[in-house]
Amino acid sequence: MIPAAFEYAHASSVDEASKLLSKFGEDAKVLAGGHSLIPLMRLRLAQPAALVDINGIKELDNISERGGKLHIGALTRHVTIQNSSVVKDKLPLLAEIAGEVGDNQVRNMGTMGGVIAHADAAGDYPTLALMLDADVVTNQRTIHARDFFKDLFTTSLGPDEIVTEVVFPVANGPHKYIKFRRRLFDWAIVGVAAQKMNGDWRIGLTNVGPTPVRATAVEEALHKGAKPEEAALHASDGLDPSGDLRASPEYKKHLARVLTKRAIQQAQQ
Amino acid sequence: MAVTQLVGAKVHRREDPRLITGHGHFIDDFTRTGAAYATFVRSPLAHARIKSIDVTDAAKAPGVVGVYTARDFKGQLAGTHPAAPAFVAEKKYVPERFPIAEKEVTYQGEIVAVVLAESRGQAADAANLIQVEYDELPAVMDVEKAMQSGSPKAHEGAADNICWDLTYTGPEVSDAAFKEADVVVKERILQNRVAPVPMEPRGVLAEYEGFDKKLTIWMSSQNPHFIRLFVSGSMGLKESQVRVISPDVGGGFGSKISPYPEDYLVPALSRIAERPVKWIETRTESIQNATHGRGQYYDVEVAAKKDGTLLGMRMTQFLDVGAYVGTFSAFQACACLMAGGAYKWKGISARTVGVLTNRVPTDPYRGAGRPEATHLVERMVDLVALELKMDPVEIRRKNFIQPQEFPFTQNFGLVVDSGDYDKALDRALELVGYEELRKKQAELRKQGRYLGIGISTWIELCGFGPSAATAPATGGIALVESAQVRVTPTGAVLVYTGTHSHGQGHETTFPQIVADQLGVPYDSIELRHGDTAEGTSFGYGTYGSRSLAVGGVAISRATGKVIDKGKKLAAHMLEAAEEDIVFEHGSFHVKGSPDKAKAFGEVAFASYGMNLPQGMEQGLEAVAYFDPPNLVWPFGTHIAVVEIDAETGHAQLQKYVAVDDCGNIINPMIVDGQIHGGAVQGIAQALYEEVVYDEETGQLKTGTMIDYMLPSIGEIPPLILDHTVTPSPTNELGVKGIGEAGTIAASAAVINAICDALSPLGIKHVDMPASPDKLWHMMKEAGK
């Protein structure tokens, strides 16, 4: 389909992008990889008045480890994260997750910042960011992941605020991401991430609510010495997922429990 | 046929370099100078009265050429959208259809207005400005409820929603069989509605030249001659005033056989607006409006003896016709005639009921009736086997029509031409490692794992078809096939066929046949199709696995006529008697004197010269029509191996074996390709695909590729393919069709495997699509 007409502006720096966003006002959108935004525009579900293209801001496309933290620039493509030796060394779970995003076309274009700012409930990085207490850095401030994801497609970003990087802790112990889906390129019906860090487990759930979920009840049970299969029973505590064509709420809760058990078990293997 | 070099060889598809490198010509690659673009405004509601349409804002929008509603087409298009009688002659109620709704809309997506603009974007923008006021009416969505007397009607003012109710054979036909029975098994079997989703959606470009009164239509169609017939009729033009060109077609799966509203409206708009008009369907429009497939359920009973002998079947097909009767919709009732499958029965009672709903119409979709029949009979045979604790292989073998029994007249009087069902089954069992798998299954069951093996010993009828069978079904036009072979003075061979490839590789297969027959280089032969201004006066299109078995034979016969004329001329040139001329390896020679010879090219050149036998006209070309004496009956065995995750209900297809028999094979690579695509389509119906509408509001919920679950290569294991060869006695090439075979076979194999896997839980039947959520719920219920 043909999107509605819109203004287009290309930014060469974060500063310029921010100014352009201010200029166009609330109806402006940042264009990074475009793999979520453009389909929405083609269906006319999104009709932004303007797109600010940040693909030319090269400094946002980088990966580094500094002071025990892993910094992923907002414009870093999934394929770069997936193949990065730094990521594989410092936070291999992130590389694993990046390799599970979409298909080759999506991974070649889609970006870390785009996924975080889009805040789709089925996005994979937000789960990891939340469970590892990552920081979302913008051109204005640093936001803790737990304060960032507000609701479905809703974040605490201001209108002229741009995500510049996401800062994860280093964690290279046992880990696993299980993305349950029907087709290779699909979003998760339910996803579960498990990461052992500083002797304790961090467990995150994808697509079981409007925002990512940290399964603290599972983490606590494991901390107290529960076996994975026992602890995993708590994965659905407090969940109230919505149903869709792929899965009923009941099934999603069941999957949260089963996949949590499997993620922990497989991480330990 | 003479010694062959190309028939049977894996010749690479001639089409592929063009298509793979982006040099194909699909409908959106065409335009005309001065073309305006059309965007259709469609009903967002499943059922409503149109109160008013306000086009004021849209008409003033930038670039708009015009905005049109039903009344603008009143003088332009006559009659209703055709619904051919096809197979069910006695229709009770067929709603009238005008290509654009005036007072009532009856499915989400029905056209209510159209905008023409200078660009596609402007047309799309303006379409959003049209204000349509509706009075919503209750939507009829459930077929069973739609048949009840108090049901709302899919069309206001209709007496009921029953489109047809035809009993082919009454209960008395199977009474004796059921009296004799030791066991009777019953089941209701659903056929999920699926969308065809061709890679290339539809599109129409039309140019009406007012001075000459000539209309040219470029469109993505499987069936250009029929489109010319229908559209010329509706527009009040002679067929000779209309030319339909269907260029490269990116898939159809049956959805590009019948004419659509846009196929009438775009040419009419060109006549009204006096400029070329182009429309390209969007993906959502395609899922919403291209005719859907399947959408049926069956109530079935089977009677059998305790030794596994099948006795009788009683079945009723309930078919969701949708809001209008698709042109070839009733063809899907052939599921009744094919319900017996590969087996012998004492009696089959069959009835079909077509029911109107407020959904987009259903029409033939790859296999059309035959996948449904296979699914039904293969499921029921497994249910009998389960009841009798027999191996599904043994019950099949026990009831197969035997090789020496062909030609075999089945329960509905159709004559199955040839077959050797055990042979294909044996090979498939060997390839899949059946005995080992059964042992492995027993082991895994002890560990609480669910492995299943599903068998589908499918047969079909295709190659439509004999004039006696098809002319009454289409309203008079027999589905025979035409061909023309023209040889130019320098020996280039042009072959015209009335079939039209939408991915089948005709440009390769047909020249293979001609090259062998004429003994000339393959590269000197070119196949042309898809343009009603070329070749014979009528062509019948591509569907129902008919192109080779009917069109290929017509080509072979036209080629034979060319050779016959060549022999006469060669005899004259060689000063020999015609009956002494032998034609082989591309050369005419005198019997016993191979040195006294004229090459085919020399004879072709001479045919345009002055030294011809008395009474012979110049030129070397011939036309042939082939009216097959029977349909052809391919068969085979597909076996699926599935493991169901005990915790998640996810059905993992682990192995898939297909052994198919389509008689003699012209190009094994193309046959394998057809099986690949077809089987994946059947697997997809079994596990993934379903068009879902809201049962209350009639809103389509699967309007994008995100929600419509078309699987990808990632979900399908490598298919293990082989063939047996049982030539057809129906035509001299010994060929049968293969385009639909994979789809016909596959869904039954997959669902039988799932049911086999879950049988320890007491689960006997699973409907499609077998999603993990559905299987998990069933397993949980069964475990209680």
Side-chain angles (χ1 to χ4, degrees), chain B residues 653 656 676 679-681 683-684 687-688 711-719:
Chain B
L653 183 60
Y656 196 94
H676 268 268
V680 171
Q681 229 161 350
I683 293 165
L687 294 176
Y688 298 97
S712 73
I713 192 71
E715 288 71 64
I716 308 293
L719 309 183

Side-chain angles (χ1 to χ4, degrees), chain B residues 619-684:
Chain B
L620 192 55
E621 57 188 313
V623 168
Y625 280 71
F626 177 56
D627 181 358
N630 188 5
L631 297 156
V632 290
W633 298 76
F635 62 90
T637 297
H638 286 212
I639 302 180
V641 182
V642 170
E643 184 170 356
I644 319 256
D645 186 319
E647 288 183 310
T648 66
H650 172 68
Q652 175 78 44
L653 183 60
Q654 294 187 336
K655 198 172 188 182
Y656 196 94
V657 168
V659 177
D660 297 292
D661 193 320
C662 59
N664 291 332
I665 292 173
I666 308 297
N667 187 325
M669 192 162 33
I670 287 179
V671 168
D672 283 355
Q674 288 291 331
I675 291 293
H676 268 268
V680 171
Q681 229 161 350
I683 293 165

Side-chain angles (χ1 to χ4, degrees), chain B residues 28-95:
Chain B
D28 204 9
D29 295 319
F30 291 79
T31 191
R32 303 297 288 174
T33 304
Y37 293 85
T39 290
F40 291 97
V41 177
R42 299 171 184 279
S43 170
L45 302 174
H47 195 192
R49 240 176 267 133
I50 300 170
K51 278 177 75 179
S52 65
I53 303 176
D54 182 354
V55 304
T56 322
D57 291 346
K60 288 187 286 197
V64 168
V65 174
V67 184
Y68 310 88
T69 59
R71 77 172 72 126
D72 298 304
F73 294 95
K74 281 296 171 64
Q76 294 288 335
L77 295 168
T80 58
H81 207 65
F87 278 72
V88 183
E90 314 84 357
K91 296 220 180 55
K92 295 181 64 169
Y93 173 52
V94 176

Side-chain angles (χ1 to χ4, degrees), chain A residues 182 184 246 251 254 261, chain B residues 647-648 687 706 715 780:
Chain A
R182 304 220 47 211
L184 201 59
R246 290 175 173 78
Y251 183 57
H254 171 75
K261 175 188 75 179
Chain B
E647 288 183 310
T648 66
L687 294 176
I706 294 170
E715 288 71 64
K780 198 165 71 126

Side-chain angles (χ1 to χ4, degrees), chain A residues 1-5 43-44 180 182-187 245-248 250-251 254-255 258-259 261-262, chain B residues 121 124-125 128 282 645 647-648 687-688 701-702 705-706 708-710 712 715 771-773 776-777 780:
Chain A
M1 276 214 276
I2 313 280
L43 291 167
R44 298 200 173 199
F180 189 85
R182 304 220 47 211
R183 301 178 291 190
L184 201 59
F185 56 85
D186 265 333
W187 285 279
L245 288 172
R246 290 175 173 78
S248 59
E250 191 190 5
Y251 183 57
H254 171 75
L255 283 179
V258 170
L259 302 180
K261 175 188 75 179
R262 290 183 180 181
Chain B
D125 286 343
N128 280 344
T282 68
D645 186 319
E647 288 183 310
T648 66
L687 294 176
Y688 298 97
K701 293 166 131 181
T702 50
M705 299 284 256
I706 294 170
Y708 188 75
M709 292 289 279
L710 207 64
S712 73
E715 288 71 64
S771 69
D773 193 352
W776 173 71
H777 272 100
K780 198 165 71 126

Side-chain angles (χ1 to χ4, degrees), chain A residues 13-71:
Chain A
S13 68
V14 174
D15 212 29
E16 189 188 355
S18 176
K19 282 183 184 135
L20 283 165
L21 284 175
S22 304
K23 180 187 138 194
F24 289 121
E26 281 208 7
D27 288 340
K29 279 272 180 195
V30 173
L31 177 67
H35 271 59
S36 295
L37 180 58
I38 290 173
L40 289 171
M41 290 170 64
R42 286 168 61 90
L43 291 167
R44 298 200 173 199
L45 294 172
Q47 300 196 14
L51 292 187
V52 176
D53 185 346
I54 62 165
N55 282 284
I57 310 176
K58 297 297 169 211
E59 66 266 27
L60 295 187
D61 182 2
N62 76 46
I63 293 171
S64 64
E65 191 221 349
R66 279 175 277 145
K69 300 278 187 184
L70 182 65
H71 296 249

Side-chain angles (χ1 to χ4, degrees), chain B residues 82-309:
Chain B
F87 278 72
V88 183
E90 314 84 357
K91 296 220 180 55
K92 295 181 64 169
Y93 173 52
V94 176
E96 297 238 319
R97 184 175 197 183
F98 198 67
I100 178 166
E102 185 184 16
K103 293 176 178 148
E104 184 184 4
V105 288
T106 54
Y107 66 92
Q108 190 195 52
E110 188 162 9
I111 295 167
V112 296
V114 53
V115 178
L116 280 192
E118 299 294 340
S119 76
R120 260 190 229 183
Q122 288 171 327
D125 286 343
N128 280 344
L129 300 174
I130 293 178
Q131 306 285 332
V132 187
E133 235 188 308
Y134 295 100
D135 266 343
E136 193 162 2
L137 296 165
V140 177
M141 302 307 291
D142 183 88
V143 171
E144 202 173 6
K145 286 183 197 158
M147 288 186 289
Q148 292 162 4
S149 59
S151 166
K153 311 296 182 282
H155 289 260
E156 262 201 311
D160 58 26
N161 295 312
I162 308 296
C163 204
W164 67 74
D165 184 347
L166 176 74
T167 299
Y168 287 106
T169 45
E172 70 283 356
V173 172
S174 58
D175 274 349
F178 276 81
K179 271 187 197 131
E180 231 185 288
D182 297 316
V183 291
V184 172
V185 296
K186 287 187 191 186
E187 194 53 70
R188 173 169 287 191
I189 296 174
L190 304 185
Q191 279 286 340
N192 37 329
R193 216 178 222 264
V194 291
V197 202
M199 195 179 290
E200 181 202 27
R202 294 185 309 113
V204 184
L205 168 65
E207 181 170 35
Y208 183 79
E209 291 164 277
F211 184 81
D212 297 326
K213 295 192 168 53
K214 294 270 186 199
L215 172 66
T216 307
I217 303 171
W218 294 260
M219 64 183 287
S220 185
S221 172
Q222 298 174 225
N223 210 4
H225 285 87
F226 273 90
I227 297 295
R228 183 183 65 176
L229 180 73
F230 291 134
V231 173
S232 62
S234 183
M235 289 184 69
L237 298 169
K238 291 191 278 286
E239 276 179 274
S240 54
Q241 290 171 282
V242 180
R243 177 181 181 186
V244 177
I245 299 167
S246 180
D248 283 326
V249 177
F253 311 116
S255 72
K256 294 175 182 172
I257 303 173
S258 298
Y260 284 84
E262 299 89 348
D263 304 348
Y264 299 92
L265 296 172
V266 172
L269 282 167
S270 175
R271 188 160 66 179
I272 295 168
E274 298 181 347
R275 56 193 289 186
V277 175
K278 182 173 177 178
W279 166 73
I280 299 293
E281 189 177 55
T282 68
R283 179 58 67 192
T284 292
E285 280 184 303
S286 172
I287 297 176
Q288 186 184 53
N289 297 288
T291 53
H292 292 160
R294 319 292 188 252
Q296 303 159 31
Y297 71 90
Y298 293 83
D299 282 336
V300 201
E301 286 182 77
V302 165
K305 284 193 203 166
K306 59 175 174 279
D307 69 354
T309 305

Side-chain angles (χ1 to χ4, degrees), chain A residues 77-97:
Chain A
R77 316 276 168 188
H78 306 313
V79 66
T80 312
I81 298 171
Q82 174 187 359
N83 295 326
S84 158
S85 55
V86 178
V87 178
K88 284 182 191 170
D89 188 35
K90 302 299 174 189
L91 186 54
L93 180 56
L94 176 58
E96 186 183 323
I97 289 175

